[in-house]
Structures are given as structure tokens and as C-alpha cells.
Amino acid sequence: MVPPPPTNKPHVCLSAILIMGSMALMDAYLVEQNQGPRKIGVCIMVLVGDICFLLVLRYVAVWVGSEVRTSKRGYTMILWFFYVFVLEIKVYFVYQNYKAEDGKRASLDGWTGGGVDGVARKALTLLLSICVPVVYITLVAIDHMEYVRPQKKKEEIRCRLFWVVVDLLDVLDVQANLWEPQRRGLPLWVEGLMFFYCYILLLVLPCVSLSEISMQGVNIVPHKMMLYPILSLVTINIITLFIRGGNMVFYRDSRVSGILMGKNVIAIVLKTCSFVQYRRHLGEVPSPALGVEMQKNCVVHGPKVTMPVERPLNRIGV
């Protein structure tokens, strides 16, 4: 029988607590949105779902804890995908319940979702904007990357992961426009498109960032991690800029975040400059230097071969 891999128990416990805590808070929203006998049925369904999720988490989290001190992030990507997949399903039902409440109260003139209900919606946005980035930072575990020796290189990786966190907040802000108080509702197809577009970004983009760390192995080079910046430039910095601009122009959405629109403009400029510098650096480096760098980044594991050494013949005898 294969023994279990050595795990980082504090990391496993912390990630499991954060994940299950955010799930429990979303369950509280789902239960409180239902009244009467339906509340009991929803509570039972939520508990059954959490037990199944906890059983899967028990095994996946152990494997995630076993790869914390290595350059591999395969199980970390699986856990992130699984976590966001379940969390966003619960967010979708919470959002649909809020939408149903808005339909019932549409007959009230001048109602904009204020009061206690408006505070609860903004608290949901705050909850997601804290839990999702914190879980991502915990799963990355950059402080446990012992194979990254230079402190400068570790700071560069931390800076790139900071951009991932900012992009997560950007996506969550776009998604939060669906359940926060609105003066004028968006068309049904626009709401569905916005929700599932943000859903896909939350699922895929952090996994791309983790895969860049995993693919480079022990000899990680931060300035060559260009896949995530390219994808985020198109899918977040450009497209969400058009989404916010369209909501502001066509639907008179006064809740559009001007700060995050400015962030997207700055990110477009900075990432474009980084791409130009990276291409220029590749053009200036000659091909032999690239070969030497590739040899340095490769770690060869194999048996040592001892070469025979010739001995000089004796002058008297053979």
C-alpha cells in the first residue's frame, strides 16, 4: 500500500477552514431568503451538499498540502476549480432570489432596494470580495516556495499574484452589479451573459496563473510568465471596460465603478509596455545565450557515470 504523501497540516487546516467558512456564509444567505416550510427543505439540501463537499475536500486538501513546498500546483488548480464551481452555484441561487424579490416589489413606486435588504446585498458583495481572494492567496502559498531562493524573484512573483487578486476584485465588482440595488433593471439576456462570463473568468484565470508557476518548475522566471497577462488584458481589462461603459451609456447605470475603470486603463498601458519590453528583450538576446539559459533552467536527474582513467604503463613490465 502506498503511504500518504507528507502534508503541510497548518496549510491544509487553514485552506479548509476558509473554504468551508465562505460556504457556510453563503448557506446562511440561502436559508434566510426562504420562509416557512420551504426554509426547512432548503436547510436540509444545503447540509447534504456541504457534507458531500466536505468529503471531497478532505481528500483534495491533503494532496494540496503535499505540494505546497514543491513547484507543482495541479491539485491546487483542481481545488480552486471545485471551490469556485460550487460557490458560484450558490451565488446564482442567491441572485435569483433577490431578483424574484425585486419582481414582487416592482409595484412599489420609488423602491430602489434600500434599507436592510440593500445592506444585505452590499454585505454579500463584501463577503465575496474578501473570501475569494483570500482563498486564492492561501492556495498559492508563496511564502512556502522554498525552491525560490532569491528574495527579489519572490517579490516579483508576489507582485504578479497581486495583479491576479486585483483582477478577481474587478470581476466580482462586475458580477455584483446584478444583485445590488438598481434603479433600472438590465435585460434578462444581459444579466445572464454578465453572470456566466464572470463565472468562467473566476474559474479559469486563477488556474492559468497557477499553471504558469507549475509549468516553469523549480527554476521559475517571473518575467516569462506572460500567459496570464495576455489573457487578463483581453478578458478583463478590455472587455469589462466595455461592459461598464455599455451599462453606463445604454442603461444609465450610476453604480459603475469609475475607480476600476481607471484601473483597467492603467493596466492596459502597463501591460502593453511590458509586452513591448519583453519582445525587445527576446530580440536582443542571441540564440546561443538562449541555449545556455535553457541548460541552466533544466535539471537533469540520472545516474552518475564514471569515466575510466588510463594509467601509464610501467617501464619494466606491462
Side-chain angles (χ1 to χ4, degrees), residues 158-218:
R158 185 176 284 109
C159 180
R160 288 183 173 272
L161 297 180
F162 172 77
W163 277 103
V164 180
V165 172
V166 174
D167 289 338
L168 288 176
L169 295 176
D170 197 347
V171 175
L172 291 171
D173 179 76
V174 173
Q175 196 178 57
N177 291 336
L178 300 175
W179 59 74
E180 287 193 0
Q182 301 180 11
R183 292 183 178 180
R184 178 182 177 183
L186 300 176
L188 183 61
W189 67 272
V190 174
E191 292 185 355
L193 189 62
M194 285 177 58
F195 184 87
F196 287 104
Y197 180 73
C198 296
Y199 191 179
I200 293 172
L201 291 183
L202 292 174
L203 280 174
V204 176
L205 286 184
C207 293
V208 172
S209 177
L210 293 171
S211 67
E212 285 187 329
I213 299 175
S214 183
M215 287 188 298
Q216 292 198 29
V218 175

Coordinates of all heavy atoms in Angstrom, one line a residue, residues 158-218:
R158 N 5.2 37.7 -6.1 CA 4.2 38.3 -5.3 C 3.5 39.5 -6.0 O 2.3 39.6 -5.9 CB 4.7 38.7 -3.9 CG 3.7 39.2 -2.9 CD 4.3 39.5 -1.6 NE 4.6 38.3 -0.8 CZ 5.8 37.8 -0.6 NH1 6.9 38.5 -1.1 NH2 6.0 36.7 0.1
C159 N 4.2 40.3 -6.7 CA 3.7 41.4 -7.4 C 2.7 40.9 -8.5 O 1.6 41.5 -8.7 CB 4.8 42.3 -8.0 SG 4.2 43.7 -8.9
R160 N 3.1 39.9 -9.2 CA 2.2 39.3 -10.3 C 1.0 38.7 -9.7 O -0.1 38.9 -10.3 CB 3.0 38.3 -11.1 CG 4.1 38.9 -12.0 CD 4.8 37.9 -12.9 NE 5.6 38.6 -13.8 CZ 5.3 39.0 -15.0 NH1 4.0 38.9 -15.4 NH2 6.1 39.6 -15.8
L161 N 1.1 38.1 -8.5 CA -0.1 37.5 -7.9 C -1.0 38.6 -7.4 O -2.2 38.4 -7.3 CB 0.3 36.5 -6.8 CG 1.1 35.3 -7.2 CD1 1.5 34.4 -6.0 CD2 0.3 34.5 -8.3
F162 N -0.4 39.7 -7.0 CA -1.2 40.9 -6.6 C -2.2 41.3 -7.7 O -3.3 41.7 -7.5 CB -0.3 42.0 -6.1 CG -1.1 43.3 -5.8 CD1 -1.8 43.5 -4.7 CD2 -1.0 44.3 -6.8 CE1 -2.5 44.6 -4.4 CE2 -1.7 45.5 -6.5 CZ -2.5 45.7 -5.4
W163 N -1.6 41.3 -9.0 CA -2.5 41.7 -10.1 C -3.6 40.7 -10.3 O -4.7 41.1 -10.7 CB -1.6 41.8 -11.4 CG -0.9 43.1 -11.5 CD1 0.4 43.4 -11.3 CD2 -1.5 44.3 -12.0 NE1 0.7 44.7 -11.6 CE2 -0.5 45.3 -12.0 CE3 -2.8 44.7 -12.4 CZ2 -0.7 46.6 -12.3 CZ3 -3.0 46.0 -12.7 CH2 -2.0 47.0 -12.7
V164 N -3.3 39.4 -10.0 CA -4.4 38.4 -10.1 C -5.5 38.7 -9.1 O -6.7 38.7 -9.4 CB -3.9 37.0 -9.9 CG1 -5.0 36.0 -10.0 CG2 -2.8 36.7 -10.9
V165 N -5.1 39.1 -7.9 CA -6.1 39.5 -6.9 C -6.9 40.7 -7.3 O -8.2 40.7 -7.1 CB -5.4 39.7 -5.5 CG1 -6.4 40.3 -4.5 CG2 -4.8 38.4 -5.0
V166 N -6.3 41.7 -7.8 CA -7.0 42.9 -8.3 C -8.0 42.5 -9.4 O -9.1 43.1 -9.5 CB -6.0 44.0 -8.7 CG1 -6.7 45.2 -9.3 CG2 -5.2 44.4 -7.6
D167 N -7.6 41.6 -10.3 CA -8.5 41.2 -11.4 C -9.7 40.4 -10.8 O -10.8 40.6 -11.4 CB -7.7 40.3 -12.4 CG -6.7 41.2 -13.2 OD1 -6.9 42.4 -13.3 OD2 -5.7 40.6 -13.7
L168 N -9.4 39.6 -9.8 CA -10.6 38.9 -9.2 C -11.6 39.9 -8.6 O -12.8 39.8 -8.7 CB -10.0 38.0 -8.1 CG -9.3 36.8 -8.5 CD1 -8.8 36.0 -7.3 CD2 -10.2 35.9 -9.3
L169 N -11.1 41.0 -7.9 CA -12.0 42.0 -7.4 C -12.7 42.7 -8.5 O -13.9 43.1 -8.4 CB -11.2 43.0 -6.6 CG -10.5 42.5 -5.3 CD1 -9.7 43.6 -4.6 CD2 -11.6 42.0 -4.3
D170 N -12.0 42.9 -9.7 CA -12.7 43.6 -10.8 C -13.8 42.7 -11.3 O -14.9 43.2 -11.6 CB -11.6 43.8 -11.9 CG -12.1 44.8 -12.9 OD1 -13.3 45.1 -13.0 OD2 -11.2 45.2 -13.7
V171 N -13.6 41.4 -11.5 CA -14.7 40.5 -12.0 C -15.8 40.5 -11.0 O -17.0 40.5 -11.4 CB -14.1 39.1 -12.2 CG1 -15.2 38.2 -12.6 CG2 -13.0 39.2 -13.3
L172 N -15.5 40.4 -9.7 CA -16.6 40.3 -8.7 C -17.4 41.6 -8.6 O -18.6 41.6 -8.4 CB -16.0 40.1 -7.3 CG -15.4 38.7 -7.1 CD1 -14.6 38.6 -5.8 CD2 -16.5 37.6 -7.1
D173 N -16.7 42.8 -8.9 CA -17.5 44.0 -9.0 C -18.5 44.0 -10.1 O -19.6 44.5 -10.0 CB -16.5 45.2 -9.1 CG -17.2 46.5 -9.2 OD1 -17.6 47.0 -8.2 OD2 -17.3 47.1 -10.3
V174 N -18.1 43.5 -11.3 CA -19.0 43.4 -12.4 C -20.1 42.5 -12.1 O -21.3 42.8 -12.4 CB -18.2 42.9 -13.7 CG1 -19.2 42.7 -14.8 CG2 -17.2 44.0 -14.1
Q175 N -19.9 41.4 -11.5 CA -20.9 40.4 -11.1 C -21.9 41.0 -10.0 O -23.1 40.7 -10.1 CB -20.3 39.1 -10.6 CG -21.2 37.9 -10.6 CD -20.5 36.7 -10.2 OE1 -19.9 36.6 -9.1 NE2 -20.6 35.6 -11.0
A176 N -21.3 41.8 -9.1 CA -22.1 42.3 -8.0 C -23.2 43.3 -8.5 O -24.2 43.6 -7.8 CB -21.3 43.0 -7.0
N177 N -23.0 43.9 -9.7 CA -24.0 44.8 -10.3 C -25.3 44.1 -10.5 O -26.3 44.8 -10.7 CB -23.5 45.4 -11.6 CG -22.3 46.3 -11.4 OD1 -22.2 46.9 -10.3 ND2 -21.5 46.5 -12.4
L178 N -25.3 42.8 -10.5 CA -26.6 42.1 -10.8 C -27.5 42.0 -9.6 O -28.7 41.9 -9.7 CB -26.3 40.6 -11.3 CG -25.4 40.6 -12.5 CD1 -25.1 39.1 -12.8 CD2 -26.2 41.2 -13.7
W179 N -27.0 42.0 -8.4 CA -27.8 41.9 -7.2 C -27.8 43.1 -6.3 O -28.7 43.2 -5.4 CB -27.4 40.6 -6.3 CG -26.0 40.7 -5.8 CD1 -25.5 41.4 -4.8 CD2 -24.9 39.9 -6.3 NE1 -24.2 41.1 -4.7 CE2 -23.8 40.2 -5.5 CE3 -24.8 38.9 -7.3 CZ2 -22.5 39.6 -5.8 CZ3 -23.6 38.3 -7.5 CH2 -22.5 38.6 -6.8
E180 N -26.9 44.0 -6.5 CA -27.0 45.2 -5.7 C -28.2 46.1 -6.2 O -28.7 45.9 -7.3 CB -25.7 46.0 -5.8 CG -24.6 45.3 -5.0 CD -23.4 46.2 -4.8 OE1 -23.4 47.4 -5.3 OE2 -22.4 45.8 -4.2
P181 N -28.6 47.1 -5.3 CA -29.8 47.9 -5.7 C -29.7 48.6 -7.0 O -28.6 49.2 -7.3 CB -29.9 48.9 -4.5 CG -29.2 48.2 -3.4 CD -28.1 47.4 -4.0
Q182 N -30.7 48.5 -7.9 CA -30.7 49.0 -9.2 C -31.8 50.0 -9.4 O -32.9 49.7 -8.9 CB -30.7 47.9 -10.3 CG -29.6 46.9 -10.2 CD -29.8 45.8 -11.3 OE1 -30.6 46.0 -12.2 NE2 -29.0 44.8 -11.2
R183 N -31.6 51.1 -10.1 CA -32.7 52.0 -10.5 C -33.4 51.5 -11.7 O -34.6 51.7 -11.8 CB -32.1 53.4 -10.7 CG -31.5 54.1 -9.5 CD -31.1 55.5 -9.8 NE -30.6 56.2 -8.7 CZ -30.1 57.4 -8.7 NH1 -30.1 58.1 -9.8 NH2 -29.7 58.0 -7.6
R184 N -32.7 50.8 -12.5 CA -33.3 50.3 -13.8 C -32.7 49.0 -14.1 O -31.5 48.8 -14.1 CB -33.0 51.3 -14.9 CG -33.6 50.8 -16.3 CD -33.3 51.8 -17.4 NE -33.7 51.3 -18.7 CZ -33.5 52.0 -19.8 NH1 -32.8 53.1 -19.8 NH2 -33.9 51.5 -20.9
G185 N -33.6 47.9 -14.1 CA -33.1 46.6 -14.3 C -32.5 46.4 -15.7 O -33.0 47.0 -16.7
L186 N -31.5 45.5 -15.8 CA -30.9 45.1 -17.1 C -31.8 44.1 -17.8 O -32.5 43.3 -17.1 CB -29.5 44.6 -16.9 CG -28.5 45.6 -16.2 CD1 -27.2 44.8 -16.0 CD2 -28.3 46.8 -17.1
P187 N -31.7 44.0 -19.1 CA -32.4 42.9 -19.8 C -32.0 41.5 -19.3 O -30.9 41.4 -18.9 CB -32.1 43.2 -21.3 CG -31.7 44.6 -21.4 CD -31.1 44.9 -20.0
L188 N -32.9 40.6 -19.5 CA -32.6 39.2 -19.0 C -31.3 38.6 -19.6 O -30.5 38.0 -19.0 CB -33.8 38.3 -19.2 CG -33.7 36.9 -18.6 CD1 -33.5 36.9 -17.1 CD2 -34.9 36.1 -19.0
W189 N -31.2 38.8 -20.9 CA -30.1 38.2 -21.6 C -28.7 38.9 -21.2 O -27.7 38.2 -21.2 CB -30.3 38.3 -23.2 CG -30.2 39.6 -23.7 CD1 -31.3 40.5 -23.9 CD2 -29.1 40.3 -24.2 NE1 -30.9 41.7 -24.4 CE2 -29.5 41.6 -24.7 CE3 -27.7 40.0 -24.4 CZ2 -28.7 42.6 -25.2 CZ3 -26.9 40.9 -24.9 CH2 -27.3 42.2 -25.3
V190 N -28.8 40.2 -20.9 CA -27.6 40.9 -20.5 C -27.2 40.4 -19.1 O -26.0 40.1 -18.9 CB -27.8 42.4 -20.5 CG1 -26.6 43.1 -19.9 CG2 -28.1 42.9 -21.9
E191 N -28.1 40.2 -18.2 CA -27.8 39.7 -16.9 C -27.2 38.3 -16.9 O -26.2 38.0 -16.3 CB -29.1 39.7 -16.0 CG -29.6 41.1 -15.7 CD -30.8 41.0 -14.7 OE1 -31.2 39.9 -14.4 OE2 -31.2 42.0 -14.3
G192 N -27.8 37.4 -17.7 CA -27.3 36.0 -17.8 C -25.9 36.0 -18.4 O -25.0 35.3 -18.0
L193 N -25.7 36.8 -19.5 CA -24.4 36.9 -20.1 C -23.3 37.4 -19.1 O -22.2 36.9 -19.1 CB -24.5 37.7 -21.4 CG -23.2 37.8 -22.3 CD1 -23.0 36.4 -22.8 CD2 -23.4 38.7 -23.4
M194 N -23.6 38.4 -18.4 CA -22.7 39.0 -17.4 C -22.3 38.0 -16.3 O -21.2 37.9 -16.0 CB -23.2 40.3 -16.8 CG -23.2 41.5 -17.7 SD -24.0 43.0 -17.0 CE -23.0 43.1 -15.5
F195 N -23.3 37.3 -15.8 CA -23.1 36.4 -14.7 C -22.2 35.3 -15.1 O -21.2 35.0 -14.5 CB -24.4 35.8 -14.2 CG -24.2 35.0 -13.0 CD1 -24.2 35.5 -11.7 CD2 -24.1 33.6 -13.1 CE1 -24.0 34.7 -10.6 CE2 -23.9 32.8 -12.0 CZ -23.9 33.3 -10.7
F196 N -22.5 34.6 -16.3 CA -21.8 33.4 -16.7 C -20.4 33.8 -17.3 O -19.5 33.0 -17.2 CB -22.6 32.6 -17.6 CG -23.7 31.9 -17.0 CD1 -25.0 32.3 -17.1 CD2 -23.4 30.7 -16.2 CE1 -26.0 31.6 -16.4 CE2 -24.5 30.1 -15.5 CZ -25.8 30.5 -15.7
Y197 N -20.3 35.0 -17.8 CA -19.0 35.5 -18.2 C -18.0 35.6 -17.0 O -16.9 35.2 -17.1 CB -19.1 36.8 -19.0 CG -17.8 37.3 -19.5 CD1 -17.1 36.7 -20.6 CD2 -17.2 38.4 -18.9 CE1 -15.9 37.2 -21.0 CE2 -16.0 38.9 -19.4 CZ -15.3 38.3 -20.4 OH -14.1 38.7 -20.9
C198 N -18.5 36.3 -16.0 CA -17.7 36.4 -14.8 C -17.5 35.0 -14.1 O -16.4 34.8 -13.6 CB -18.4 37.3 -13.8 SG -18.6 39.0 -14.3
Y199 N -18.4 34.1 -14.2 CA -18.3 32.8 -13.7 C -17.1 32.1 -14.3 O -16.3 31.5 -13.7 CB -19.6 32.0 -13.9 CG -19.8 30.7 -13.2 CD1 -20.9 30.0 -13.3 CD2 -18.8 30.2 -12.4 CE1 -21.1 28.8 -12.7 CE2 -18.9 29.0 -11.7 CZ -20.1 28.3 -11.9 OH -20.2 27.1 -11.3
I200 N -17.0 32.1 -15.7 CA -16.0 31.5 -16.4 C -14.6 32.1 -16.1 O -13.6 31.4 -15.9 CB -16.3 31.6 -17.9 CG1 -17.5 30.7 -18.2 CG2 -15.1 31.1 -18.7 CD1 -18.0 30.9 -19.7
L201 N -14.6 33.4 -16.0 CA -13.3 34.1 -15.6 C -12.8 33.7 -14.2 O -11.6 33.4 -14.1 CB -13.5 35.6 -15.7 CG -13.7 36.2 -17.1 CD1 -13.8 37.8 -16.9 CD2 -12.6 35.8 -18.0
L202 N -13.7 33.6 -13.3 CA -13.3 33.2 -11.9 C -12.8 31.7 -11.9 O -12.0 31.4 -11.1 CB -14.5 33.4 -10.9 CG -14.9 34.8 -10.7 CD1 -16.2 34.8 -9.8 CD2 -13.8 35.6 -10.0
L203 N -13.4 30.9 -12.8 CA -13.0 29.5 -12.8 C -11.6 29.4 -13.5 O -10.7 28.6 -13.0 CB -14.0 28.7 -13.6 CG -15.3 28.2 -12.9 CD1 -16.2 27.6 -13.8 CD2 -14.9 27.3 -11.7
V204 N -11.4 30.0 -14.6 CA -10.3 29.7 -15.5 C -9.0 30.5 -15.2 O -7.9 30.0 -15.1 CB -10.7 29.9 -16.9 CG1 -9.5 29.7 -17.9 CG2 -11.8 28.9 -17.3
L205 N -9.2 31.9 -15.0 CA -8.0 32.7 -15.0 C -7.0 32.4 -13.8 O -5.8 32.4 -14.0 CB -8.4 34.2 -15.0 CG -8.9 34.7 -16.4 CD1 -9.2 36.2 -16.3 CD2 -7.9 34.4 -17.4
P206 N -7.5 32.3 -12.6 CA -6.6 31.9 -11.5 C -5.9 30.6 -11.7 O -4.7 30.4 -11.4 CB -7.5 31.8 -10.3 CG -8.6 32.7 -10.6 CD -8.9 32.5 -12.0
C207 N -6.6 29.6 -12.4 CA -5.9 28.4 -12.8 C -4.8 28.6 -13.8 O -3.8 27.9 -13.7 CB -6.9 27.4 -13.3 SG -8.1 26.8 -12.1
V208 N -5.0 29.5 -14.7 CA -3.9 29.9 -15.6 C -2.7 30.4 -14.9 O -1.5 30.1 -15.2 CB -4.4 30.9 -16.7 CG1 -3.3 31.4 -17.6 CG2 -5.5 30.2 -17.5
S209 N -2.9 31.3 -13.9 CA -1.8 31.8 -13.1 C -1.1 30.7 -12.4 O 0.1 30.7 -12.3 CB -2.4 32.9 -12.2 OG -1.3 33.4 -11.3
L210 N -1.8 29.8 -11.8 CA -1.2 28.7 -11.1 C -0.4 27.7 -12.0 O 0.6 27.2 -11.7 CB -2.3 27.9 -10.3 CG -2.9 28.6 -9.1 CD1 -4.1 27.8 -8.6 CD2 -1.9 28.9 -8.0
S211 N -1.0 27.6 -13.2 CA -0.3 26.7 -14.2 C 1.0 27.3 -14.7 O 2.0 26.5 -15.0 CB -1.2 26.4 -15.4 OG -1.4 27.6 -16.1
E212 N 1.1 28.6 -14.7 CA 2.4 29.2 -15.1 C 3.5 28.9 -14.1 O 4.6 28.6 -14.4 CB 2.2 30.7 -15.2 CG 1.5 31.2 -16.5 CD 1.5 32.7 -16.6 OE1 1.5 33.4 -15.6 OE2 1.5 33.2 -17.8
I213 N 3.1 28.9 -12.8 CA 4.1 28.6 -11.7 C 4.4 27.1 -11.8 O 5.6 26.7 -11.7 CB 3.5 28.9 -10.4 CG1 3.2 30.4 -10.2 CG2 4.4 28.4 -9.2 CD1 2.5 30.8 -9.0
S214 N 3.5 26.2 -12.1 CA 3.7 24.8 -12.2 C 4.5 24.4 -13.4 O 5.4 23.5 -13.3 CB 2.4 24.1 -12.2 OG 2.6 22.7 -12.1
M215 N 4.3 25.0 -14.5 CA 5.0 24.6 -15.7 C 6.4 25.0 -15.7 O 7.3 24.3 -16.3 CB 4.3 25.2 -17.0 CG 3.0 24.6 -17.3 SD 2.3 25.2 -18.9 CE 2.1 27.0 -18.6
Q216 N 6.8 26.1 -15.1 CA 8.2 26.5 -15.1 C 9.1 25.7 -14.1 O 10.3 25.7 -14.2 CB 8.3 28.0 -14.7 CG 7.7 28.9 -15.7 CD 8.2 30.4 -15.5 OE1 9.3 30.6 -15.0 NE2 7.4 31.3 -16.0
G217 N 8.4 25.0 -13.2 CA 9.2 24.1 -12.3 C 10.0 24.9 -11.3 O 9.6 26.0 -10.8
V218 N 11.1 24.3 -10.9 CA 11.9 24.9 -9.8 C 12.6 26.2 -10.2 O 12.6 27.1 -9.5 CB 13.0 23.8 -9.3 CG1 13.9 24.5 -8.3 CG2 12.3 22.6 -8.7

